[in-house]
Amino acid sequence: MTDVGFGSKVLVYVEDEITRRYLNAVIGHRGKLVRFTVVGGVKTVLGMLEDAARCNRKNVTFGIIDRDYACGDKQGWFQQSGAYYYKLPMHEIENYMLDFDAIAEFTPRGKPTGKSASHWRTIAHTVAKE
């Protein structure tokens, strides 16, 4: 798995297809420099990184994982077996796609709820913390 594709410089392991698509959309035209590869859950991402470090693969340097409920509160950059991975601040990548302004516009049977985007954001954050 040393070939990351024509023009790619870095292979980044991710947990799932949604994460891969989201990150490709975020980096846009810089996608030629980075290739996101779906390998499975947290344990698989970390295992692939460990294997890449052990085999001294220079093009595999990063992994990105969700801050799943079982992973504790720490987020940010971590190092394991000489490879780096980033634990996202949100519990799941789908949380980055929530548009609270759009949610606030939804009305049951055309009757405004009077609830603002910040109201729905607070509820979502409360549920995630619990």
Side-chain angles (χ1 to χ4, degrees):
M1 195 179 243
T2 57
D3 178 27
V4 294
F6 182 73
S8 296
K9 304 293 183 197
V10 177
L11 176 61
V12 179
Y13 293 128
V14 297
E15 295 183 57
D16 53 49
E17 181 64 19
I18 294 172
T19 302
R20 186 191 71 74
R21 287 183 185 195
Y22 179 84
L23 294 172
N24 274 326
V26 169
I27 66 169
H29 70 281
R30 293 177 296 267
K32 292 182 180 179
L33 300 175
V34 179
R35 178 174 166 210
F36 298 103
T37 300
V38 176
V39 296
V42 172
K43 290 180 182 179
T44 307
V45 170
L46 298 178
M48 295 291 285
L49 287 172
E50 185 175 329
D51 183 60
R54 186 175 31 250
C55 295
N56 201 26
R57 292 190 192 128
K58 299 296 183 192
N59 62 329
V60 180
T61 53
F62 302 106
I64 296 176
I65 61 174
D66 295 331
R67 188 172 67 91
D68 296 322
Y69 293 99
C71 288
D73 289 336
K74 292 184 179 179
Q75 64 186 37
W77 285 103
F78 296 88
Q79 184 178 12
Q80 177 175 306
S81 304
Y84 290 91
Y85 66 96
Y86 188 81
K87 189 185 301 183
L88 296 167
M90 298 281 197
H91 289 283
E92 299 291 336
I93 195 73
E94 293 86 347
N95 291 327
Y96 292 99
M97 294 181 247
L98 292 175
D99 184 341
F100 296 106
D101 291 319
I103 292 170
E105 295 297 318
F106 289 122
T107 59
R109 295 187 182 106
K111 297 177 184 175
T113 63
K115 308 288 186 188
S116 66
S118 63
H119 168 81
W120 298 113
R121 184 179 295 107
T122 299
I123 289 174
H125 288 188
T126 300
V127 169
K129 286 178 184 176
E130 291 174 0

